[in-house]
Amino acid sequence: MDSSFAALWTSLLPIGRDRTTGGYRRFAWTDADMACREWFRDQAASRGLDVEQDRNGNLWAWWGSPGRDAVVTGSHLDSVPDGGAYDGPLGIVSAFAAIDVLRQRGVRPSLPIAVVAFSDEEGARFGVACVGSRLLTGQLSGERARALRDADGFTLAETLTKAGVDHAAIGRDDDALSRIGTFVELHVEQGRGLVDLDRPVGVATSIWPHGRWRFDFTGEANHAGTTLPDDRRDPMLTFASTVLAARTAVEGNDARATFGRVLVDPNGTNAIPSAVTGWLDARARNETTLDDVVADIGAAAAASGESDRVGVAVTSESYTTVTDFDPALRDGIATLIDHAPLLPTAAGHDAGILATAGVPTAMLFVRNPTGVSHSPAEHAEEADCLAGTDALAAVLADLACR
Ligand code: HGY
Ligand code: MN
Ligand code: MN
């Protein structure tokens, strides 16, 4: 059976790739993201699928008339800074390729099938992850979303207007939501679970609870050479202690805590900073552990701030509760696709947002030989991607041919 996977994959690969690092910078509503959206429309059009952009900027390509009980598959096209090629796009390329497989086999679904590209899953530009699916399900209000700002000070409202999206209309979309009968997201695995199990494809059991917190450290700018150590109010020092506290807080816990983004003001080599802002990404196997870890880090930051005479303010920017995927759907899918193994993940996904909103949802993972993700080194072998496409095609046929 011919597969269209390679052609789809190759056509998307150059968009938004940085020549120096080889990583992707497909941030929401930038030129690279708009080019990815154009690619999506072209791929849908070449397959005779009708495309619509919903009120929240998510793209849908329909095989069959949009309607209730639709079998929806897809993922996201945006990336983290210098992200890999697979996180997100693999789910969308595999979705189009799976439709091609079904058509080649002469499958005639009785339910509509849709491919969806959710907007701004990574939150790399405006700070909140899964903006498109959170708006769709009402887990993020239009009011809060409109006010989100990027690093250049542009609000999401201004950005949407520039992209031709009516920002006044964003928010929970019951019409779009009520059409989804089932959602299945295929994703590259962001770990080595499938490598250890020696299997190309797996099925998700759950997503760890996770969130993002902004830590603002406020001190006093002063001269790097002439200011005595005891006279300093150095927020970098407090930040550094807090980063170490994050490492300590996860010791012995099934938890992760990462400061991966930092802003320093005024950011001069020979000046003590006046302010440092760091963003904490924290995750854990359960919510009690997550809450304890974040509380420990906050307490450590406050204690260091007191001894350093530095102000500390912690703001929660997003929080996602634990997601347990629909057990019957999950087990049925695993049986259908060659008794694929079941595994949890600590990565967030639009599938988790939909599951939390009550949509029957499942996820397929495709083996990642190194487990590396959110990096240009992220990878999946083509044979495994084809196995993923075949598995997805089998799942879509099973769900849509009732
Ligand atoms: O950050 C995450 O967990 C996901 O990759 N968006
Ligand atoms: Mn990601
Ligand atoms: Mn992803």
Side-chain angles (χ1 to χ4, degrees):
M1 175 83 55
D2 283 349
S3 171
S4 56
F5 181 90
L8 275 154
W9 188 251
T10 310
S11 62
L12 182 58
L13 220 44
I15 302 175
R17 182 166 53 192
D18 184 81
R19 280 165 188 255
T20 320
T21 63
Y24 289 86
R25 296 173 181 192
R26 294 168 173 161
F27 308 138
W29 305 108
T30 58
D31 288 350
D33 187 36
M34 296 308 268
C36 287
R37 289 166 176 272
E38 209 45 49
W39 171 90
F40 182 98
R41 290 178 185 278
D42 289 348
Q43 294 303 329
S46 71
R47 289 167 173 78
L49 308 175
D50 289 333
V51 174
E52 62 173 40
Q53 183 167 288
D54 70 18
R55 290 203 270 113
N56 295 302
N58 305 307
L59 287 171
W60 303 75
W62 289 91
W63 181 15
S65 306
R68 297 184 88 81
D69 297 326
V71 177
V72 181
T73 185
S75 191
H76 62 96
L77 291 166
D78 66 304
S79 77
V80 296
D82 270 335
Y86 296 80
D87 177 357
L90 183 63
I92 293 175
V93 165
S94 304
F96 283 124
I99 287 180
D100 293 345
V101 167
L102 295 179
R103 284 175 161 176
Q104 284 172 34
R105 291 180 184 157
V107 172
R108 299 172 73 88
S110 51
L111 295 174
I113 292 180
V115 180
V116 64
F118 283 113
S119 296
D120 197 1
E121 192 271 352
E122 299 288 5
R125 182 169 174 193
F126 293 99
V128 174
C130 299
V131 169
S133 56
R134 280 189 210 270
L135 282 169
L136 169 73
T137 56
Q139 292 170 55
L140 172 65
S141 71
E143 190 186 0
R144 181 167 173 230
R146 277 188 282 277
L148 294 172
R149 278 184 197 278
D150 71 7
D152 296 320
F154 292 108
T155 63
L156 180 58
E158 291 163 340
T159 305
L160 290 175
T161 302
K162 199 168 157 225
V165 178
D166 176 11
H167 70 73
I170 64 174
R172 185 176 164 99
D173 185 344
D174 284 312
D175 289 341
L177 194 55
S178 66
R179 299 182 309 198
I180 312 173
T182 316
F183 178 58
V184 182
E185 179 170 359
L186 178 148
H187 205 278
V188 69
E189 198 197 347
Q190 297 167 295
R192 288 191 301 272
L194 291 169
V195 175
D196 293 344
L197 293 162
D198 195 22
R199 295 290 295 268
V201 178
V203 178
T205 52
S206 59
I207 298 178
W208 281 17
H210 55 280
R212 298 178 182 187
W213 289 263
R214 194 181 74 237
F215 282 60
D216 289 302
F217 303 94
T218 316
E220 183 180 65
N222 212 331
H223 195 284
T226 59
T227 316
L228 299 175
D230 283 350
D231 289 345
R232 295 177 181 222
R233 292 177 53 221
D234 183 352
M236 186 66 87
L237 213 53
T238 320
F239 172 62
S241 307
T242 306
V243 173
L244 295 175
R247 183 69 179 86
T248 306
V250 299
E251 297 280 350
N253 282 322
D254 239 350
R256 318 273 182 265
T258 309
F259 280 97
R261 178 178 163 211
V262 59
L263 286 178
V264 180
D265 202 28
N267 210 18
T269 306
N270 53 353
I272 297 161
S274 57
V276 172
T277 302
W279 280 264
L280 170 70
D281 175 309
R283 310 174 187 226
R285 185 169 292 280
N286 59 57
E287 283 163 37
T288 309
T289 307
L290 177 59
D291 295 347
D292 287 350
V293 162
V294 174
D296 284 356
I297 300 169
S304 299
E306 202 169 320
S307 73
D308 299 337
R309 296 181 298 127
V310 163
V312 179
V314 183
T315 311
S316 168
E317 294 202 330
S318 66
Y319 190 91
T320 306
T321 54
V322 68
T323 304
D324 287 313
F325 290 111
D326 185 305
L329 181 64
R330 172 197 81 192
D331 292 346
I333 287 176
T335 305
L336 180 76
I337 55 171
D338 203 16
H339 295 278
L342 300 173
L343 57 170
T345 180
H349 300 285
D350 295 306
I353 303 297
L354 265 64
T356 301
V359 175
T361 301
M363 288 195 77
L364 302 183
F365 291 130
V366 169
R367 176 165 50 194
N368 173 340
T370 60
V372 170
S373 186
H374 286 185
S375 147
E378 182 181 83
H379 184 67
E381 295 295 337
E382 187 173 340
D384 289 352
C385 295
L386 294 178
T389 297
D390 258 359
L392 182 61
V395 171
L396 297 180
D398 184 62
L399 294 170
C401 301
R402 289 277 150 112

